[in-house]
Amino acid sequence: MILLKFLQNNAEWMCAIAITIFAAVQCYLAYQQNMQNIRLKRLALANELDIVCNKFLGEKQEAREVSNWLMSNASNFLFLLNSKDRSKYANLCAFLYNYQSVVLKNPTEVAEVIKQFNNLLYELDLVLGNATYGLVNEKEEVKRLDSK
């Protein structure tokens, strides 16, 4: 009887606590779903990257096509990669840019270039696949650019 009286007198508080716990769990689940969606976007970008880069067999036209695709997806890489991980993207872009002006003389050099390209691609795939953070906020970068 005492327990029933206690529950009746405090039902409002108990409901408020239960609603707060429920809302907190819903927020947590929404956050986890958002993080999963971002991971899936990274995976989709990595898959597209692999498909596009599969074309590269050492020809300058192929390097140009891959480079164009990388540039057309620059904003995806910018916001899906953390600041320190963007260097992998920049390294691959720089490699392709420099490659277009190089003259290769024998098949061994071409094989070495393709190996180097694949290593850079692998590193970029790793940072896309292993990222555990959300979208990158670039407010500080914008402030820094405005101050110059």
Side-chain angles (χ1 to χ4, degrees):
M1 190 64 158
I2 296 173
L3 180 62
L4 183 61
K5 186 125 177 120
F6 173 79
L7 292 175
Q8 287 174 341
N9 290 340
N10 295 303
E12 193 174 307
W13 288 105
M14 287 186 286
C15 285
I17 291 169
I19 289 170
T20 303
I21 291 171
F22 177 78
V25 168
Q26 291 300 313
C27 288
Y28 175 75
L29 291 175
Y31 173 78
Q32 290 300 322
Q33 182 64 41
N34 186 39
M35 292 300 289
Q36 183 65 20
N37 287 338
I38 292 170
R39 282 187 204 102
L40 290 175
K41 286 182 189 229
R42 284 190 187 101
L43 179 61
L45 184 62
N47 284 334
E48 284 182 56
L49 176 67
D50 292 340
I51 290 168
V52 169
C53 289
N54 191 34
K55 297 175 187 177
F56 182 75
L57 298 172
E59 297 292 324
K60 292 185 191 234
Q61 179 59 33
E62 297 161 348
R64 206 170 294 121
E65 289 175 18
V66 173
S67 184
N68 287 340
W69 184 87
L70 286 169
M71 290 299 122
S72 68
N73 285 282
S75 60
N76 287 329
F77 287 102
L78 176 69
F79 293 109
L80 289 174
L81 289 175
N82 208 359
S83 299
K84 65 182 172 92
D85 295 333
R86 285 188 208 131
S87 65
K88 308 298 185 196
Y89 169 75
N91 291 344
L92 184 59
C93 289
F95 171 81
L96 289 169
Y97 179 76
N98 292 335
Y99 178 72
Q100 294 176 36
S101 63
V102 172
V103 176
L104 299 177
K105 295 179 175 134
N106 61 46
T108 307
E109 290 176 328
V110 173
E112 188 59 38
V113 164
I114 292 173
K115 181 180 176 184
Q116 187 178 1
F117 173 79
N118 287 334
N119 286 338
L120 292 169
L121 176 62
Y122 175 75
E123 289 175 3
L124 184 55
D125 274 339
L126 276 181
V127 295
L128 278 170
N130 290 334
T132 57
Y133 45 81
L135 290 176
V136 178
N137 187 348
E138 285 300 313
K139 286 182 182 176
E140 299 196 13
E141 185 70 27
V142 172
K143 287 179 186 175
R144 192 171 50 192
L145 291 174
D146 288 341
S147 65
K148 290 182 179 178

